[in-house]
Amino acid sequence: MDRRKTTLVGVALALAVSVAGCGGNPTSTDTGGGGGAPSDTIVVGSANFPENELLANIYAEALKAKGVKVSTKLDIGSRETYIPGLLDGSIDLIPEYSGVLLQFFDKNATATASDPVFTALQKAVPSKLTVLNKSSAEDKDAVVVTQGTATKYHLKSIGDLKPVAHSLTFGGPPEFKVRPDGIPGLQKHYGVTFGSYKTLDTGGPLTVAGLKNGQADAVDLFTTDPSIPENHFVELADPQNNFAAQNVLPLINKSKATPTVRSALNAVSAKLDTKTLTALLKRVYAKEDPDTVAKDWLSSVGLM
C-alpha cells in the first residue's frame, strides 16, 4: 500500500546495510541525507495517500496528548523511499500495513493470516526498527473493476481475469508492477498477465478516474476506499490470498520507542478497527482536514 522513489539500487544498498547490521516523485518532503531527528522529538512520516496521512495524524496527535514532542513529514512517498528515511533516522515513525511490510523485508515470506504475518514481521524488521501492536483495522490492496467490466467478462475473482487479461490494461502505482503481491503475484497465483500497465497514483483520484474513464480496465485500490461503493465498482475476490493480512500498525525507530510512546501508540491500535478507519477516511475524501478528523476521533475514544 504507500510512495516517492529512490532508485531501486539505492533501496537495495540501504536494505543491505540494514541487514548486515541486523504501493512517485518527491513533493514536500525529503527523507534523504541522514541527519537524524532531534533526540527529544518523534518525527512522524506518512506515505503519499490519504489514509496513511490520516493515520500519521492520528499517531502524532495521540503522542502530543501524552506530552511527547512531535513533528511531521507527510506525503513522503512509497515504502521504497521512506524505509531508508527510517533507517537513517530522518523520520522516526510511520503507519504501516503488516502483510506488505513483511513482504518488503522478506521476499520469501509465506504467511498470509493476521497473527502469523505479525509474528513473522516482528522477526523480519531491521534491528534499528520495531513494530508495535497491530490494530484490528485492516486495509488490503484489491483488484477492482467497473460493474460493466465485471458483467462483460463474468468476473467474480481475480482468477476469472486469466482468459481475458491479455487484452486489458491494469492501472496502479509504479511500485505495484514489481512488488511480490503486485503484478508478479497476480501472475504467480492466478496466471493473470495483463496486456499493458498504466501508471497512475497510489489508490487515489487518478486511479479512480482512470478506471471510470477507461484508461484502465482493472486497478489497484484499497479495500477501505469509499470510491468503491460510491461508484459501484466490483472488488474481485482473492481466494489464493495473494494479498496477505494488512493490519494497521506503527513502524518506529527502536531508540524512540519509549514506554510512553509505546503506550500511546498501542492505545490507538486497541481502539482502531476497519469500520472506524473506513468512516474516518470517508470524511477525509470529503475534503475534511485529516488532522481535524484525527483529533475528533481520538477525543471521542478518550485518547486526548
Side-chain angles (χ1 to χ4, degrees):
M1 279 175 176
D2 293 292
R3 317 211 183 176
R4 306 291 178 258
K5 294 189 290 184
T6 55
T7 65
L8 292 179
V9 172
V11 171
L13 288 173
L15 290 178
V17 170
S18 72
V19 171
C22 79
N25 298 320
T27 57
S28 60
T29 305
D30 178 11
T31 61
S39 60
D40 65 342
T41 302
I42 300 289
V43 180
V44 182
S46 85
N48 62 328
F49 59 97
E51 180 182 282
N52 205 257
E53 293 176 26
L54 168 65
L55 290 166
N57 278 292
I58 289 174
Y59 288 169
E61 295 298 342
L63 291 172
K64 289 177 187 177
K66 296 301 181 181
V68 178
K69 188 176 179 181
V70 173
S71 65
T72 57
K73 289 186 176 182
L74 305 181
D75 196 32
I76 294 170
S78 71
R79 189 170 290 108
E80 287 79 1
T81 298
Y82 63 68
I83 293 297
L86 283 163
L87 292 170
D88 71 23
S90 54
I91 57 174
D92 297 309
L93 166 67
I94 202 154
E96 261 294 358
Y97 303 86
S98 58
V100 286
L101 186 62
L102 172 60
Q103 290 175 336
F104 184 86
F105 288 127
D106 180 4
K107 299 296 188 294
N108 297 315
T110 58
T112 57
S114 179
D115 287 343
V117 165
F118 184 63
T119 297
L121 177 60
Q122 290 173 297
K123 299 174 182 177
V125 294
S127 61
K128 289 183 177 181
L129 308 179
T130 189
V131 287
L132 304 185
N133 291 359
K134 64 182 173 69
S135 70
S136 66
E138 190 174 6
D139 185 6
K140 291 186 177 185
D141 290 77
V143 175
V144 176
V145 298
T146 64
Q147 182 64 66
T149 298
T151 300
K152 179 179 180 180
Y153 296 113
H154 310 288
L155 304 177
K156 292 184 179 179
S157 74
I158 297 172
D160 295 335
L161 284 163
K162 184 176 179 179
V164 297
H166 66 278
S167 64
L168 304 179
T169 297
F170 192 92
E175 58 268 21
F176 193 85
K177 291 179 69 174
V178 297
R179 285 183 174 170
D181 64 344
I183 293 298
L186 301 183
Q187 293 170 336
K188 176 182 177 181
H189 293 112
Y190 294 103
V192 172
T193 301
F194 288 95
S196 60
Y197 192 94
K198 177 69 175 178
T199 299
L200 299 168
D201 59 3
T202 305
L206 291 180
T207 300
V208 172
L211 185 59
K212 289 173 69 175
N213 66 25
Q215 286 182 295
D217 303 292
V219 299
D220 172 40
L221 287 175
F222 302 135
T223 55
T224 57
D225 191 335
S227 70
I228 295 176
E230 287 172 0
N231 291 283
H232 306 290
F233 293 157
V234 177
E235 178 186 326
L236 300 183
D238 178 23
Q240 298 300 319
N241 295 311
N242 177 67
F243 301 115
Q246 305 296 351
N247 296 94
V248 174
L249 47 70
L251 176 64
I252 187 171
N253 276 310
K254 195 176 290 184
S255 64
K256 296 292 185 74
T258 66
T260 297
V261 169
R262 287 176 177 268
S263 176
L265 296 174
N266 286 339
V268 169
S269 291
K271 297 285 187 180
L272 190 64
D273 58 28
T274 302
K275 182 179 179 180
T276 297
L277 180 57
T278 303
L280 296 177
L281 186 59
K282 187 173 182 178
R283 291 178 59 185
V284 173
Y285 273 62
K287 306 302 182 183
E288 290 192 53
D289 176 56
D291 193 50
T292 299
V293 175
K295 289 177 180 177
D296 286 349
W297 177 69
L298 290 167
S299 179
S300 74
V301 295
L303 295 181
M304 70 173 300

